[in-house]
């Protein structure tokens, strides 16, 4: 009897403390209890309603309609309530002023983030368990096969995990209450959109299950899972950085992850080009990557310039290794360096992915040109304003405002020239086609020919981005070299001391 | 120094503001150091640096010999920090709250259970262990936070305004707890605006203003350090007027004046000169029946240091 008890105690000790706390709090809190029973009640009522109307629905359709109705309620729970609960649980660390207590208790950021994620997943598991009998009943009603149910549930779990990570990351970004309310509203809206999207995908598979038999359908499903994993990993990197103490190196994991994302987009694109022979796949993959890279680039390029005492204390010994590691170390200037390098990496690996065939070696493929333009726009909308702001913005509150303005700058950059163009007589159709609108330019590169003026504006933006960032890029590299020299000096002095 | 808190010339700037400027002091094991200063003096920043929550721009803090800048995780295991404002989780009982932090500190199995019992007993929270934190009074919450601070048996305790908002009984109880902890050999740095409270429990004080240390040591030694003057009260059978006349003829004596039945005066000499003065007065046939330094309290020291003169 003792051995199992000891094993039980040991296992209990191994459980993440944050998980224990979060589960206790969540299961006792009103938020989970009320929503759980309401969801279950709504699911039951809908189920009963459909079964009572079974005569009016065709035999094949009954199972599908029942499944979609029940999945709709389940999806609301696991794609909206659970990620939102993770958002609230993370916010609570700032609202209840417990963040410092966590830091000094020596918990690692990974433990904190994982504990919050696992707690959310336990809640999701309870929802899945509660709705399991309904889903089995839908299968028994006919009309939906087990494979489709499995695929939909796998996609649903991946979406729930990714959204929960995004919730934790979004909440960790705002220690300020007003900012948190804004983020909460945005995240809530995003969750509703995600719910709609997951319902659409589930409906596609439920009513047209043959899509899963085609290679395109299978690739699309794997791509969906891949995007969910990448979003989860990026969000995790952001959250880990935010839960590390302000004085620690918060940047490196996010920078490594964003570099991996660029390489991954090229690799995934290369595989698609090889499979389907369509060079546009590489542009499609990088479009997704660029959309995900926007926030890491925005966050890191607007960081304070200082390397920090703790980040200075560790690093490679050699000069070359120090220089190579510099873009991955904290500081806005070093982030700008990394953004330029990642853009270059995307273009080069895209060209490699398409292969240097005789016909392509002489000129850039349109897709590679589009990839180049895509990253040029990303640089123009993140690194350029961050470089300009670096001369003026010092305070933390100003930095938060700068980040908000940079997000707003994209729709403003698209809409304002279009409005001016309409005001001065152009038709509404052509008004949106201007050099500040990345969508129209990228479309033109793929399917038409952008005007030389567009290329000139884009080139000028890139040149400006390089020029305004150059001082802080060099200053950042010098700081890293000085830190290395200091480390070497200390290592030499240590034996003498 | 084993078990001590050593603050070595730490400086911390926030933009153009130098919040802490080359602050140094040491708290020895078993010592309770009061950390006093006006609002915005840099007390909390210094304490947060000592607790690894802020990194100094220069200088270092050693906790039990471990640098907080170089080895923050190792240092945290030796520090118990009680912040001035801290959170209490919703839907959590006292026992669950302490159990969570004990787990977070890596205390496992039977050790965790026995530590929880010890800490709950020490802070007299036994009867409330299943009570939800939300329902606790301010005093009980302070006890709970102190209990959390003690879970991992830290060598150094840093208590930022622990008595703020407490009623008199809770303050007395907190004072006794702090004294008991010092008796266990812990180095304690404690800040408070209630100077009488600190005076009753602290063995030493450090006064800080605008980020710089204005004085550090025992209250008496700081007072002497501030002015170089000792205030003495003497009384003789021969009468206050004769004593006053005699004193005014002696070296190092200033500002002698009759106070009640005796004479109060400032003495600028060192201890040898004071001994010589006492011998002279005793041999002058005045019938000296009282000769004692006037008590300088913490409030005097605080006001003199933060306003630049002894009041």
């Amino acid at each position: 009897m003792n051995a199992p008890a000891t094993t039980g105690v040991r296992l209990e000790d191994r459980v993440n403390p944050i998980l224990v706390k979060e589960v206790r709090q969540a299961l006792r809190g009103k938020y989970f209890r009320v929503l759980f029973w309401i969801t279950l009640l709504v699911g039951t009522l809908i189920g009963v309603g459909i079964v009572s109307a079974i005569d009016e629905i065709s035999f094949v359709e009954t199972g599908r309609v029942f499944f979609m109705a029940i999945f709709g309620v389940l999806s609301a729970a696991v794609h909206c309530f659970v990620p939102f609960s993770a958002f609230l649980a993370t916010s609570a660390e700032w609202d209840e002023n417990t963040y410092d207590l966590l830091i000094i208790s020596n918990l690692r950021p990974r433990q904190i983030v994982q504990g919050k994620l696992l707690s959310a997943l336990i809640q999701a598991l309870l929802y899945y368990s509660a709705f399991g009998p309904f889903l089995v009943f839908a299968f028994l009603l006919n009309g939906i096969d087990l494979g489709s149910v499995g695929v939909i549930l796998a996609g649903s779990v991946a979406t729930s995990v990714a959204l929960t990570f995004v919730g934790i990351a979004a909440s960790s970004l705002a220690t300020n209450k007003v900012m948190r309310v804004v983020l909460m509203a945005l995240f809530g809206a995003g969750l509703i959109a995600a719910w709609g999207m997951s319902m659409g995908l589930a409906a596609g598979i439920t009513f047209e299950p043959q899509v899963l038999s085609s290679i395109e359908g299978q690739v699309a499903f794997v791509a969906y899972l891949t995007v969910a994993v990448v979003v989860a990993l990026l969000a995790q990197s952001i959250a880990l950085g935010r839960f590390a103490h302000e004085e620690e190196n918060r940047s490196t994991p996010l920078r490594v992850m964003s570099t991996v994302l660029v390489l991954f987009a090229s690799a995934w694109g290369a595989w698609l080009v090889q499979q389907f022979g369509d060079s546009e796949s590489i542009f499609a993959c990088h479009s997704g990557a660029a959309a995900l890279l926007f926030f890491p680039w925005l966050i890191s390029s607007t960081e304070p310039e200082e390397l920090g005492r703790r980040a200075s204390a560790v690093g490679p010994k050699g000069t070359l290794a120090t220089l190579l590691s510099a873009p991955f170390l904290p500081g806005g200037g070093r982030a700008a360096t990394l953004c330029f390098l990642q853009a270059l990496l995307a273009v080069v690996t895209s060209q490699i992915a398409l292969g240097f065939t005789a016909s392509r070696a002489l000129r850039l493929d349109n897709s590679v040109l589009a990839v180049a333009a895509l990253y040029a726009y990303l640089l123009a909308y993140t690194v350029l304003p961050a470089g300009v702001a670096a001369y003026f913005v010092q305070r933390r509150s100003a930095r938060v405002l700068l980040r908000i303005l940079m997000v707003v700058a994209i729709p403003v950059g698209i809409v304002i020239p279009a409005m001016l163009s309409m005001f001065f007589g152009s038709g509404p159709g052509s008004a949106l086609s201007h050099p500040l609108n990345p969508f129209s330019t990228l479309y033109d590169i793929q399917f038409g020919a952008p005007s030389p003026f567009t290329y000139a504006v884009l080139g000028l933006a890139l040149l400006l981005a390089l020029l305004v960032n150059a001082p802080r890029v060099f200053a950042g590299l010098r700081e890293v070299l000085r830190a290395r020299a200091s480390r070497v000096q200390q290592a030499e002095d240590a034996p003498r001391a | 120094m084993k078990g001590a808190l050593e603050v070595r010339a730490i400086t911390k700037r926030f933009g153009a503001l130098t919040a802490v400027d080359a602050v140094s002091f040491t708290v020895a094991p078993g010592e309770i150091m009061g950390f006093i200063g006006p609002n915005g003096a840099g007390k909390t920043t210094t304490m947060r640096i000592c607790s690894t929550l802020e990194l100094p721009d220069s200088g270092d803090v050693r906790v039990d010999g471990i640098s907080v800048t170089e080895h923050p995780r190792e240092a945290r295991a030796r520090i118990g920090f009680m912040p001035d404002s801290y959170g209490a989780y919703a839907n959590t009982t006292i026992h669950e709250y302490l159990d969570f932090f004990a787990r977070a500190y890596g205390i496992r199995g039977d050790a965790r259970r026995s530590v929880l019992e010890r800490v709950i007993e020490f802070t007299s929270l036994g009867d409330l262990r299943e009570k939800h934190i939300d329902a606790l009074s301010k005093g009980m919450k302070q006890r709970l936070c102190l209990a959390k601070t003690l879970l991992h048996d830290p060598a150094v305790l840093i208590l930022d305004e622990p008595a703020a908002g407490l009623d008199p009984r809770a303050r007395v109880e907190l004072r006794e707890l702090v004294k008991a902890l010092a008796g266990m050999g812990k180095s304690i740095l404690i800040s408070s605006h209630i100077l009488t409270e600190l005076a009753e429990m602290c063995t030493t004080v450090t006064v800080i203003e605008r980020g710089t240390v204005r004085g550090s040591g025992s209250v008496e030694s700081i007072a002497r350090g501030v002015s170089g003057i000792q205030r003495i009260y003497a009384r003789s059978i021969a009468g206050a007027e004769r004593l006053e006349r005699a004193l005014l003829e002696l070296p190092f004596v200033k500002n002698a004046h009759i106070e009640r039945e005796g004479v109060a005066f400032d003495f600028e000499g060192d201890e040898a000169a004071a001994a010589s003065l006492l011998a002279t007065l005793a041999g002058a046939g005045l019938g000296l029946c009282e000769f004692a330094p006037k008590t300088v309290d913490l409030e005097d020291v605080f006001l003199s240091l933060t306003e630049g003169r002894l009041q």
Side-chain angles (χ1 to χ4, degrees):
Chain A
M1 288 295 282
N2 276 345
T6 313
T7 311
V9 169
R10 275 190 202 145
L11 280 174
E12 193 210 339
D13 278 340
R14 297 252 167 242
V15 178
N16 184 328
I18 294 281
L19 173 63
V20 177
K21 172 187 85 74
E22 293 286 336
V23 170
R24 271 177 186 159
Q25 283 186 284
L27 298 188
R28 268 192 209 143
K30 281 183 192 155
Y31 179 88
F32 176 77
R33 282 190 298 179
V34 170
L35 284 179
F36 183 80
W37 291 114
I38 286 177
T39 310
L40 208 57
L41 183 69
V42 170
T44 309
L45 289 177
I46 289 175
V48 169
I50 290 172
V51 170
S52 62
I54 209 158
D55 292 340
E56 294 162 30
I57 307 168
S58 76
F59 179 70
V60 176
E61 291 295 304
T62 309
R64 290 175 184 170
V65 172
F66 188 87
F67 178 84
M68 275 311 298
I70 292 300
F71 183 76
V73 182
L74 174 64
S75 174
V78 297
H79 298 151
C80 295
F81 303 158
V82 169
F84 201 72
S85 137
F87 182 97
L88 293 178
T90 310
S91 296
E93 301 297 351
W94 277 274
D95 285 339
E96 292 168 0
N97 218 354
T98 46
Y99 173 70
D100 281 349
L101 298 184
L102 289 185
I103 295 294
I104 54 173
S105 70
N106 249 349
L107 281 171
R108 291 176 188 277
R110 190 168 292 278
Q111 281 177 289
I112 299 172
V113 173
Q114 279 177 354
K116 289 188 181 291
L117 173 77
L118 288 174
S119 161
L121 290 186
I122 284 175
Q123 292 173 53
L125 191 67
L126 289 173
Y127 281 111
Y128 281 116
S129 310
F131 278 81
F134 291 100
L135 299 177
V136 171
F137 187 64
F139 169 68
L140 293 175
L141 279 175
N142 269 335
I144 183 154
D145 61 293
L146 221 67
S148 300
V149 173
V151 166
I152 291 171
L153 286 183
S156 159
V157 170
T159 309
S160 184
V161 171
L163 290 174
T164 303
F165 264 129
V166 172
I168 295 169
S171 182
S172 69
L173 279 173
T175 50
N176 172 292
K177 238 178 188 170
V178 177
M179 185 68 185
R180 198 152 54 244
V181 170
V182 172
L183 276 174
M184 190 189 287
L186 289 175
F187 183 60
L191 288 179
I192 292 169
W195 179 52
M197 187 194 70
S198 71
M199 287 289 288
L201 291 174
I205 295 170
T206 306
F207 292 103
E208 288 178 44
Q210 66 277 10
V211 294
L212 290 175
S213 313
S214 66
I215 182 77
E216 288 85 358
Q218 288 164 6
V219 167
F221 179 64
V222 174
Y224 182 81
L225 291 183
T226 308
V227 170
V229 169
V230 169
V231 168
L233 290 176
L234 269 180
Q236 188 197 28
S237 303
I238 291 174
L240 287 179
R242 299 297 300 177
F243 269 106
H245 194 262
E246 210 173 330
E247 307 286 7
E248 306 286 351
N249 176 357
R250 289 171 146 188
S251 298
T252 301
L254 184 61
R255 295 182 189 206
V256 171
M257 190 53 68
S258 60
T259 308
V260 170
L261 176 59
V262 172
L263 290 171
F264 192 73
S266 287
W268 185 241
W271 185 81
L272 288 175
V273 170
Q274 198 186 19
Q275 284 292 313
F276 301 106
D278 183 2
S279 66
E280 282 171 28
S281 306
I282 199 101
F283 172 69
C285 288
H286 275 291
S287 297
L292 292 175
L293 280 172
F294 177 75
F295 281 103
W297 280 25
L298 179 133
I299 291 169
S300 54
S301 64
T302 51
E303 276 179 1
E305 300 300 328
E306 296 79 24
L307 185 58
R309 212 168 151 182
R310 280 189 191 139
S312 305
V314 287
K317 286 179 183 166
T319 310
L320 182 63
T322 303
L323 283 173
L324 288 175
S325 70
F328 294 93
L329 295 174
R334 284 175 288 273
T337 314
L338 185 67
C339 294
F340 280 112
L341 289 175
Q342 284 178 346
L344 191 64
L345 187 69
V347 175
V348 171
T349 51
S350 295
Q351 183 62 52
I352 292 170
L354 288 177
F356 286 98
T357 59
S359 61
R360 281 174 179 152
L362 297 174
R363 64 178 180 81
L364 278 176
D365 188 286
N366 262 6
S367 292
V368 178
L369 196 59
V371 169
L374 177 71
Y375 282 93
Y377 271 112
L378 199 56
L379 287 166
Y381 275 107
T382 54
V383 178
L384 173 58
V388 174
Y391 293 97
F392 313 103
V393 174
Q394 300 298 330
R395 284 167 46 200
R396 187 190 297 187
S397 54
R399 215 175 289 283
V400 172
L401 185 66
L402 168 68
R403 286 171 178 166
I404 294 170
L405 288 176
M406 282 167 69
V407 174
V408 175
I410 297 178
V412 168
I414 294 170
V415 171
I416 297 292
M419 287 173 70
L420 289 174
S421 176
M422 282 173 73
F423 184 74
F424 288 111
S426 298
S430 60
L432 278 170
S433 184
H434 58 79
L436 295 186
N437 183 351
F439 302 104
S440 69
T441 305
L442 294 171
Y443 181 85
D444 286 348
I445 292 174
Q446 288 272 291
F447 304 107
S451 66
F453 178 63
T454 299
Y455 282 123
V457 170
L458 206 50
L460 184 67
L462 262 183
L463 184 66
L464 274 176
L466 270 169
L467 288 175
V468 296
N469 281 287
R472 65 176 187 153
V473 164
F474 287 116
L477 294 177
R478 275 199 303 273
E479 190 182 14
V480 169
L481 288 173
R482 271 201 308 274
R484 178 199 156 268
S486 167
R487 284 197 304 273
V488 169
Q489 186 65 47
Q490 278 179 1
E492 283 173 4
D493 292 346
R496 277 181 236 147
Chain B
M1 193 194 300
K2 185 81 181 159
L5 172 70
E6 296 164 84
V7 179
R8 299 175 178 175
I10 55 169
T11 296
K12 178 76 182 175
R13 292 180 199 90
F14 296 106
L17 174 79
T18 303
V20 175
D21 191 4
V23 165
S24 298
F25 57 83
T26 299
V27 189
E31 182 179 333
I32 306 174
M33 176 178 277
F35 197 38
I36 57 176
N39 289 332
K43 300 189 295 290
T44 297
T45 304
T46 304
M47 289 180 136
R48 286 176 65 83
I49 290 171
C50 294
S51 311
T52 74
L53 289 171
E54 303 273 358
L55 193 66
D57 296 322
S58 61
D60 199 0
V61 176
R62 289 190 175 263
V63 177
D64 203 8
I66 309 282
S67 161
V68 299
T69 56
E70 287 167 23
H71 307 288
R73 290 186 69 82
E74 288 83 349
R76 278 173 201 151
R78 291 159 171 82
I79 301 167
F81 177 52
M82 185 171 167
D84 57 343
S85 62
Y86 59 92
Y89 292 112
N91 303 316
T92 308
T93 65
I94 283 181
H95 187 267
E96 287 167 353
Y97 183 80
L98 293 174
D99 179 67
F100 162 64
F101 279 106
R103 284 170 187 271
Y105 280 114
I107 307 168
R108 292 187 171 170
D110 289 338
R112 188 173 72 244
R113 275 173 275 282
S114 82
V115 160
L116 285 179
E117 286 311 311
R118 258 204 330 268
V119 165
I120 285 174
E121 191 188 339
F122 180 73
T123 48
S124 307
L125 288 168
D127 295 338
L128 304 171
R129 67 174 66 210
E130 297 308 323
K131 197 165 181 177
H132 275 79
I133 300 173
D134 312 348
L136 294 180
S137 67
K138 171 87 180 167
M140 285 300 139
K141 279 187 180 166
Q142 293 291 81
R143 270 171 189 269
L144 177 62
C145 194
L146 184 62
K148 181 216 79 71
T149 307
L150 298 174
L151 281 170
H152 56 301
D153 193 22
V156 171
L157 287 173
I158 299 167
L159 314 176
D160 193 2
E161 301 280 353
L166 296 187
D167 62 34
R169 174 176 289 276
R171 283 217 294 267
V172 171
E173 287 169 354
L174 180 78
R175 190 173 67 211
E176 294 312 313
L177 284 176
V178 172
K179 280 182 176 175
L181 288 166
M184 293 173 191
K186 297 188 186 302
S187 312
I188 302 174
L189 180 67
I190 182 170
S191 76
S192 178
H193 284 300
I194 308 163
L195 299 183
T196 48
E197 196 66 40
L198 283 182
E200 285 181 53
M201 68 171 119
C202 295
T203 42
T204 53
V205 290
T206 291
V207 184
I208 184 171
E209 189 181 36
R210 274 180 269 168
T212 54
V213 170
R214 297 299 167 100
S216 189
S218 68
V219 174
E220 292 74 20
S221 69
I222 296 176
R224 278 186 69 82
V226 172
S227 60
I229 295 171
Q230 194 174 7
R231 195 146 198 56
I232 296 175
Y233 180 77
R235 193 160 62 85
S236 77
I237 296 168
E241 285 176 6
R242 269 192 68 192
L243 179 60
E244 185 188 17
R245 277 200 299 276
L247 277 167
L248 286 173
E249 288 169 10
L250 294 171
F252 305 120
V253 173
K254 278 191 170 175
N255 300 330
H257 62 276
I258 295 171
E259 197 176 287
R260 298 192 307 276
E261 291 143 21
V263 179
F265 60 95
D266 293 337
F267 184 70
E268 290 180 333
D270 57 13
E271 284 185 333
S276 163
L277 172 74
L278 180 59
T280 308
L281 290 174
L286 296 167
L288 196 66
C289 56
E290 192 174 341
F291 185 90
K294 281 195 77 179
T295 312
V296 180
D297 63 20
L298 192 53
E299 214 162 70
D300 294 330
V301 168
F302 176 71
L303 291 174
S304 67
L305 287 172
T306 53
E307 291 191 10
R309 62 191 173 89
L310 194 62
Q311 292 185 333

